[in-house]
Each structure stands twice: as structure tokens, then as C-alpha cells.
Amino acid sequence: MNASSVHAPPPAQDAGPDHVLVLNSGSSSLKYQLIDMTTGARPATGLVERIGEETSRVVHTPAAGRGSRRERSGRVADHHAALRTVARELSADGVGLDSPRLAAIGHRVVHGGQVFTEPAVVDEGVLAEIERLVPLAPLHNPANLAGIRTAMDLRPDLPQVAVFDTAFHTTIPQAAARYAIDVDTADAHRVRRYGFHGTSHAYVSRATARLLGKDPADVNVIVLHLGNGASAAAVRGGCCVETSMGLTPLEGLVMGTRSGDVDPAVVFHLMRVGGMSADEVDELLNTRSGLLGLCGENDMREIQRRRAEGDQQAGLAFDIYAHRLRKYIGAYYAVLGRLDALAFTAGVGENSAQVREAAVAGLDGLGLAVDAERNTAPGGGARLVSPPGARVAVAVVPTDEEMEIANQTYTLVKP
Ligand SMILES: Nc1ncnc2c1ncn2[C@@H]1O[C@H](COP(=O)(O)OP(=O)(O)O)[C@@H](O)[C@H]1O
Ligand SMILES: CC(=O)OP(=O)(O)O
Ligand SMILES: [Mg+2]
């Protein structure tokens, strides 16, 4: 690894602990943001990606005036090593894990089962429960646990708070949460719809209401969180009533590498006739399916480029992706009965005008359309892309899972 010089300002001496470090550990990445809860500023953000591979990449971005962006490559063996690397980067900026201004570390934990309806200060009992849920989120929960355990090693005195992706979905009624399988079998194995990306759905549904100048309690909204993982949520008056991910983050929309909905019999067919093991089918549906499986590419930018050049495989992958979105929009409209807004968020939702246009194509009858000029206009921030006076607002609403996690964490621990 090659280091570069840093110019860290002297740490403030008089402020109390008002910083939260947010960690979002994915299966092979660790994203982090240090947030000043007094000002909302982010003294540092960054990510470690390709953890465990031959060459990992570390990108650390201090806030303006605190130093310059640093990028390194080299092997980062696991999530423990990743967090130690992050700690060193933060120390170099004078805001290390030993900083007296650090109030807590907030961790995104993907699966909280039915137990965690709120964020939790981590203790041995919480760790044991997250561990018990590993079989339901094998890609995510082990990484989340590694992040928490290393953070506890590095700062045993500091509160660690777990914020669960599933928590926002615990209001989903039984009629939507239960699968139609034998009740005793389902209960014995905790089989039900849990839903994920809840922190994002909660934040974006509230921000959408704000954009409309309304109280979240008065607004019905469909949120489409379209990142590498993708899910839809129907939110009535601030409460989630339906979502597309289920027992695990595999169900629902077409994703970067995950299939989303398939007939469950596909699994038995591949095992009986295709000679695959359960683990092989699991790996196929989670990591070699979705956009990647359809056209060899999971980056929507690249798919759009190939589609524009007439590449039929990329065109079909895009069409399948958009078709699934339309199907869910129609279904969730029916679930809600009345729809005030459709909100697009995350990497694809915030940046792809083509996906937004295709997702509502032909839905004019439902009052859903995008205005070509608004939809393609550059600019960040929450904004409407539907035509003026539209019956249903269509909006781009950037998600901020890190700020939401920081707020929930700080609320629990602030002095
Ligand atoms: N300008 C863009 N146009 C289309 N897709 C984009 C654009 N920028 C980012 N994306 C897509 O966003 C996805 C990543 O979204 P993101 O929310 O960062 O994912 P995650 O947090 O799940 O890793 C990638 O598929 C990428 O292609
Ligand atoms: C739950 C989930 O799918 O998360 P991500 O999109 O970060 O993979
Ligand atoms: Mg994400």
C-alpha cells in the first residue's frame, strides 16, 4: 500500500462526544461515514471494496479542508482487517476511533428477524440473536457481525448500535407477510416475509412526503430502492404495508446479480434434473443471476451503453428489469388503493432517467408518467419528474441510509 500525506486540522478540544461513525458492511465491502451530529457535516467518508480478493481497494475522502482524497490498493484479507484499515485512515485525519468526540458506532445490520423492531445497543444477547439469523442472510449478517466485533475490540468502552434493515417492515400486516405454506412448518423455521432496505425505505418515504409539502401520515407512496440489491415498498401513512424482498434479500425485483422472483419449482428442477446441489442453486440465484446472468453485466450504466448500440442481450436484460418494475408498481398501487407518489432511489433509481421512464411506460391510465425534460434534467437533490399537475407525483429522492443510521444511533446514546 502506498500512503500519501495528510493535513489534519487540530481536533476540537471543547466539544462533547457528538460524532457517530456509521459502518455498512456488505458481503465484500465496507462503507463508512463519520458524521458530526451537531452540524450534520461528514468529516470523512470512504469504502473498502473487494475484501478478501487478491487486490482490495481503499478509498478515503476527508471533508474539504481536512486533507485530500486517498486511494490505495493491496490485499485486505477480511472485514476485521478492513475496519482496522478504516481506523488508521481516520486517525491520519485526527478523527480516529480513539477520538473523544466519538459518541457511538452505528452498524447497518441486514437481518433483524422479528425480534428487532427498533435499533439496539449491542450486548452479548444482541450479538447472539444476529448470529442466530445468519442462515437467513448468509451474504450480509456475517459481515455485519465482523464489523461489530472488531469495533468492540477497538473501542470496548464505546456504545455500538445495530440498526436493522428489517425493522421498518415489522408493520407489514399478516396477509402480506405470510407465505401460503403450512403454518406449523413456516413457524418452526421462521419462514415469512421480513423485507430489507428498511432504513432507506423509511428515510425516502418521509423525504417524499416533505417534497410534496405533506405530513408523512397523510401520504401513500411506493418507494423503489434500485441499487445493486433492489426492492420495492408500499408505505401507507408512514407505515410499510408491503415489500418485495422476503425471507431473504433474494425475492422480488430483478437485481444486479440476484434473480428476484422465480417459480420455487425452478430450484427443485435444477436440483433433480440439472444435478445441482442446494448450495449451487443458492449461489446461482444470488450471484450469477439478475442483470449479470441475463447479459454478463450488472452495472446499469454499461447495460444502457450496450443497449444504445443495439446489443440485444443488454436490451432484453433492460426490458426484463423494467417489466418487473411495472408489475410491482401496479401491484402496490392496488395494495395501497390510493397512490400519492412513486419515489425512485439508490444508484439506479437516482441516476437512470431511462429506467424511470421505462418503469412508468404505459401507466398513464394509473396517472403515472414522467415529464421528459424534468426526468433527464441534471441535478441532485429530491425533485419531481412527473409532469406539472400529474395525478400521482413521480419523484427522485436520494437515499441517505448513513444519516438515518446515525440519527437512530445518536438518539439512543446521546448524553
Ligand atoms: N448514472 C448512472 N446511470 C445508471 N445507473 C447508475 C448510474 N450511476 C450508478 N448507477 C448504478 O447504480 C448501481 C449501484 O447502486 P448503489 O445504490 O450504489 O448500490 P449498492 O449500495 O447496493 O452497492 C450500479 O448498478 C450502477 O450501475
Ligand atoms: C439487503 C440488501 O440487498 O442489501 P444490499 O442492496 O446492500 O445488498
Ligand atoms: Mg446500498
Side-chain angles (χ1 to χ4, degrees):
M1 296 226 171
N2 42 4
S4 55
S5 64
V6 281
H7 313 278
Q13 299 299 331
D14 50 353
D18 63 349
H19 281 40
V20 173
L21 176 64
V22 177
L23 299 181
N24 180 351
S25 307
S27 51
S28 66
S29 69
L30 170 62
K31 296 181 187 164
Y32 60 97
Q33 292 196 3
L34 181 66
I35 303 185
D36 179 335
M37 302 309 293
T38 304
T39 63
R42 300 181 203 211
T45 64
L47 90 154
V48 185
E49 58 184 2
R50 298 198 290 274
I51 295 170
E53 291 180 29
E54 205 52 49
T55 313
S56 318
R57 193 168 76 109
V58 183
V59 182
H60 179 83
T61 311
R66 284 183 168 269
S68 50
R69 182 179 183 275
R70 303 193 287 281
E71 195 174 326
R72 300 142 188 263
S73 48
R75 185 165 150 75
V76 178
D78 55 24
H79 281 81
H80 300 287
L83 185 49
R84 289 178 193 282
T85 303
V86 171
R88 277 196 300 277
E89 292 292 344
L90 291 168
S91 288
D93 288 354
V95 286
L97 259 60
D98 55 353
S99 164
R101 293 198 64 181
L102 197 56
I105 302 182
H107 300 263
R108 176 188 180 210
V109 178
V110 163
H111 217 311
Q114 277 179 278
V115 177
F116 297 109
T117 57
E118 302 282 344
V121 177
V122 174
D123 58 19
E124 284 306 319
V126 170
L127 281 174
E129 190 56 32
I130 299 172
E131 180 91 59
R132 210 168 69 89
L133 292 161
V134 162
L136 300 184
L139 294 181
H140 294 92
N141 271 33
N144 304 153
L145 272 173
I148 297 174
R149 289 215 165 99
T150 309
M152 289 172 90
D153 283 349
L154 292 171
R155 273 298 299 271
D157 57 314
L158 203 63
Q160 312 282 334
V161 176
V163 180
F164 299 92
D165 254 39
T166 40
F168 183 58
H169 300 302
T170 50
T171 52
I172 294 177
Q174 289 279 310
R178 282 219 171 245
Y179 295 110
I181 61 176
D182 172 71
V183 170
D184 294 336
T185 307
D187 288 349
H189 299 286
R190 295 176 290 161
V191 173
R192 53 165 281 151
R193 176 179 310 289
Y194 293 97
F196 301 89
H197 295 139
T199 307
S200 177
H201 288 300
Y203 176 89
V204 170
S205 55
R206 279 203 314 274
T208 305
R210 240 189 342 265
L211 178 69
L212 301 184
K214 292 189 175 163
D215 189 324
D218 299 328
V219 173
N220 288 358
V221 47
I222 297 173
V223 179
L224 298 177
H225 175 108
L226 310 178
N228 276 314
S231 69
V235 183
R236 176 183 290 133
C239 294
C240 187
V241 294
E242 175 64 290
T243 194
S244 59
M245 284 177 165
L247 175 73
T248 75
L250 180 58
E251 192 181 350
L253 303 176
V254 176
M255 310 182 210
T257 65
R258 295 172 234 166
S259 61
D261 296 335
V262 293
D263 179 345
V266 167
V267 177
F268 319 130
H269 180 75
L270 291 175
M271 291 176 73
R272 292 189 191 120
V273 180
M276 295 172 78
S277 68
D279 284 349
E280 284 168 347
V281 180
D282 193 336
E283 190 259 345
L284 170 79
L285 297 181
N286 272 294
T287 68
R288 289 190 290 125
S289 297
L291 293 168
L292 181 73
L294 288 166
C295 71
E297 176 60 62
N298 61 346
D299 188 319
M300 185 55 83
R301 285 166 291 206
E302 183 60 14
I303 290 170
Q304 291 178 172
R305 194 192 58 73
R306 280 172 49 188
R307 176 174 177 249
E309 287 175 352
D311 180 323
Q312 298 210 339
Q313 244 192 345
L316 181 58
F318 184 94
D319 290 347
I320 294 170
Y321 186 94
H323 176 83
R324 187 80 53 89
L325 288 175
R326 284 194 297 275
K327 213 161 96 167
Y328 269 91
I329 292 168
Y332 285 11
Y333 202 141
V335 165
L336 289 169
R338 188 202 82 222
L339 183 64
D340 299 298
L342 171 67
F344 287 89
T345 196
V348 176
E350 290 167 32
N351 296 299
S352 175
Q354 289 181 41
V355 165
R356 294 193 294 265
E357 184 188 352
V360 298
L363 302 186
D364 318 57
L366 298 178
L368 282 160
V370 292
D371 175 270
E373 203 172 312
R374 287 180 168 190
N375 189 38
T376 52
R383 59 197 186 274
L384 291 175
V385 295
S386 42
R391 186 146 53 90
V392 180
V394 181
V396 177
V397 180
T399 192
D400 196 344
E401 290 162 284
E402 285 77 14
M403 185 55 92
E404 181 77 11
I405 290 170
N407 277 327
Q408 296 196 14
T409 298
Y410 198 53
T411 301
L412 274 189
V413 305
K414 77 180 156 207

